[in-house]
């Protein structure tokens, strides 16, 4: 098990990586899924052998409230249908923390429950917010779970210029589920999970 890294340099590096993803040209992405709530694209990841996914959709609410529902805290566990537990393990200054969370099995349990330990950071971005994270090799793996790994990932949330009560939410996710899994099952699960994320989030914001 590695010791916890210093929060400030990791937060800066993570933010810079996500801003770099946000600048990737449209021509590099391939459509993976389209629903009424969101569009999902993918491209080969530069971090591991899977894909970097991009998801985007308009959410009817103000930026701060949306990000409060996404970042680690009391809201996320209530509405995210994939997440089964979440614990804040360490809290740092400057909106940084380390959290451990577990996810439910997917695709009729072809993908067994997973556990992640992530460093999370929330910061300002343009007129909105960016909440981002990366997995750490920290803490003991719980029995009955496979330890997954999130390569740099995050959510940009900015208000729409002409509709300030609506926000454009753009996510970048590259999750290494690990374990013996067929890549096609992983790809199907990731695209569907991201599309469902938007519909679940919209329902939660209306309550």
């Amino acid at each position: 098990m590695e010791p916890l890294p210093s929060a400030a340099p990791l937060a800066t590096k993570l933010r810079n990586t996500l801003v770099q993803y946000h600048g990737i040209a449209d021509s590099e992405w391939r459509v993976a899924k389209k629903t009424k709530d969101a569009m999902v694209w993918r491209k080969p990841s530069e971090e591991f052998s899977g894909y970097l996914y991009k998801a985007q959709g308009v959410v009817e609410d103000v930026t701060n409230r949306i990000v409060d529902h996404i970042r680690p805290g009391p809201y996320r566990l209530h509405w995210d249908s994939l997440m089964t537990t979440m614990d804040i393990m360490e809290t740092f200054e400057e909106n940084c923390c380390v959290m451990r969370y577990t996810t439910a099995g997917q695709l009729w349990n072809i993908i067994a429950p997973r556990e992640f330990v992530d460093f999370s950071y929330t910061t300002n971005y343009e007129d909105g917010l960016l909440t981002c994270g990366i997995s750490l090799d920290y803490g003991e793996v719980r029995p009955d779970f496979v330890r997954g790994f999130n390569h740099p990932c995050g959510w940009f949330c900015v208000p729409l210029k002409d509709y300030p009560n609506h926000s454009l939410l753009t996510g970048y996710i590259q999750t290494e589920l690990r374990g013996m899994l067929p890549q096609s099952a992983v790809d199907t699960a990731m695209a569907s999970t991201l599309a469902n994320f938007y519909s679940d989030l919209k329902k939660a914001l209306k309550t």
Side-chain angles (χ1 to χ4, degrees):
M1 184 178 84
E2 297 176 357
L4 281 175
S6 179
L10 182 55
T12 300
K13 183 180 179 185
L14 188 56
R15 183 189 190 280
N16 291 344
T17 300
L18 266 297
V19 170
Q20 179 192 333
Y21 293 161
H22 209 37
I24 294 172
D26 290 347
S27 59
E28 292 192 39
W29 299 99
R30 296 289 174 265
V31 174
K33 194 171 185 70
K34 185 177 182 179
T35 70
K36 64 181 178 61
D37 294 309
M39 190 88 165
V40 181
W41 299 264
R42 72 182 192 188
K43 69 182 291 295
S45 170
E46 295 179 5
E47 301 284 343
F48 76 120
S49 60
Y51 288 101
L52 168 63
Y53 286 85
K54 174 182 178 178
Q56 191 170 73
V58 173
V59 180
E60 188 178 346
D61 215 319
V62 293
T63 298
N64 283 30
R65 187 160 181 260
I66 293 168
V67 171
D68 276 345
H69 276 69
I70 295 175
R71 66 180 172 185
Y75 293 114
R76 180 70 181 266
L77 197 57
H78 289 288
W79 67 265
D80 190 335
S81 58
L82 193 61
M83 197 175 279
T84 51
T85 67
M86 181 177 67
D87 304 296
I88 307 292
M89 300 173 74
E90 303 280 347
T91 303
F92 307 100
E93 293 178 11
E94 299 170 350
N95 293 321
C96 298
C97 72
V98 174
M99 66 167 177
R100 174 164 52 195
Y101 68 95
T102 55
T103 59
Q106 299 177 72
L107 294 180
W108 304 281
N109 244 30
I110 292 171
I111 300 175
R114 291 301 195 264
E115 177 191 71
F116 297 86
V117 174
D118 283 9
F119 172 82
S120 176
Y121 173 51
T122 302
T123 183
N124 293 324
Y125 175 79
E126 293 184 350
D127 296 330
L129 292 166
L130 163 64
T131 184
C132 48
I134 187 171
S135 285
L136 304 173
D137 181 18
Y138 181 72
E140 297 299 318
V141 182
R142 293 185 223 187
D144 304 321
F145 287 94
V146 176
R147 176 68 69 89
F149 193 92
N150 285 313
H151 295 278
C153 55
W155 297 90
F156 292 86
C157 190
V158 294
L160 290 182
K161 284 188 172 61
D162 298 327
Y163 302 93
N165 289 330
H166 291 67
S167 302
L168 182 65
L169 181 63
T170 309
Y172 297 90
I173 306 293
Q174 46 187 344
T175 301
E176 191 171 351
L177 291 171
R178 296 181 171 167
M180 302 298 288
L181 289 173
Q183 189 61 44
S184 59
V186 174
D187 297 340
T188 299
M190 287 301 299
S192 296
T193 295
L194 282 166
N196 291 341
F197 184 92
Y198 281 79
S199 55
D200 287 349
L201 175 60
K202 287 182 175 184
K203 286 175 197 163
L205 290 166
K206 285 177 180 172
T207 56

